[in-house]
Amino acid sequence: HGVARRPRIALCVSGQLRGYTRAFPSWQETILRNVDYHVFVHSWQKIGRSGAEPFRAYLPFAGKAFGDAWRVHAHRVGMAEIHARYPALFAALQQGGSVTPAELSAFYNTDHVVLEDDAGPAFAGWSNGRKMHYKVSAVHKLIGDRLNDYDLVLRIRPDKQLGLVAFAWRDMLAATKKAPVIFADSGIGHQYANLLIGDQVALGAPPPMTAYADTLH
């Protein structure tokens, strides 16, 4: 019997880079362990940092002890008082850090990286939702004429940390061959007059994922 080849995955990373250094290793340890994958990144120059509200799962600080202490005192005195006491800190959090294409290319081991300035005139007046859909479309286009080289396309936010894997790749391959299905964090729906699709994680064969990416239009 021949040895079954590993699934070939186009890994499309798009959206706010906040938390990307923690998320990617979690992918490598879980869903990417038994596949051949190539990474495509379309994001923003500014990393952005999460807010420092104590309810957030991830705080923009290093070290568990400091984070735990921050939560205690932020709850005790309230965020209004914390903002008043540390204006320079919150100004820095608002500004966020930045990253270069070369840094991301080295981190993700890929030559397919595009970064843009979301504060530039090209994106003036854009909502966060429009920016998100634009990046979903743009990162998919980076695959170009290599699309048919892949069994599946996985689009994921840079900050999405993963834990246990609750599926087998062979099952995903079988399911996507039976029907043009996309597996996502939430199904299609609507909010008032706006259609919504899952924007955290989406996985499917190349043709349905092309349709997913084209929802921008």
Side-chain angles (χ1 to χ4, degrees), residues 59-194:
L59 294 172
F61 310 120
K64 182 178 185 302
F66 185 87
D68 289 345
W70 176 270
R71 294 182 198 280
V72 170
H73 292 290
H75 276 300
R76 180 174 59 85
V77 304
M79 286 304 294
E81 176 64 21
I82 292 290
H83 274 272
R85 291 184 185 182
Y86 307 108
L89 168 64
F90 285 95
L93 291 177
Q94 180 67 30
Q95 182 65 25
S98 61
V99 69
T100 67
E103 289 171 333
L104 284 189
S105 292
F107 181 76
Y108 286 111
N109 189 29
T110 180
D111 294 328
H112 304 282
V113 175
V114 176
L115 298 179
E116 296 172 299
D117 179 8
D118 66 339
F123 304 104
W126 284 36
S127 67
N128 288 337
R130 186 180 179 190
K131 290 178 181 178
M132 182 272 291
H133 282 290
Y134 161 69
K135 284 297 183 183
V136 169
S137 177
V139 73
H140 190 84
K141 290 177 181 176
L142 283 184
I143 305 173
D145 58 9
R146 298 181 57 190
L147 190 60
N148 291 330
D149 293 345
Y150 300 103
D151 300 305
L152 296 168
V153 176
L154 171 60
R155 184 265 159 183
I156 188 168
R157 281 176 38 157
D159 61 348
K160 190 70 176 177
Q161 288 186 256
L162 301 179
L164 296 175
V165 178
F167 68 90
W169 281 109
R170 64 179 178 275
D171 295 334
M172 284 294 179
L173 289 171
T176 54
K177 287 179 179 178
K178 287 180 181 178
V181 62
I182 293 174
F183 296 94
D185 58 283
S186 63
I188 189 169
H190 63 87
Q191 182 179 38
Y192 302 106
N194 299 315

Side-chain angles (χ1 to χ4, degrees), residues 43-71:
S43 189
W44 308 107
Q45 295 169 357
K46 187 178 293 184
I47 295 173
R49 299 192 177 116
S50 67
E53 294 85 356
F55 63 80
R56 292 186 178 273
Y58 303 104
L59 294 172
F61 310 120
K64 182 178 185 302
F66 185 87
D68 289 345
W70 176 270
R71 294 182 198 280

Side-chain angles (χ1 to χ4, degrees), residues 4-25:
R5 66 168 176 82
R6 290 151 60 99
R8 295 173 300 210
I9 309 297
L11 178 60
C12 294
V13 181
S14 69
Q16 183 64 256
L17 283 166
R18 178 179 61 239
Y20 78 98
T21 57
R22 292 191 297 264
F24 185 51

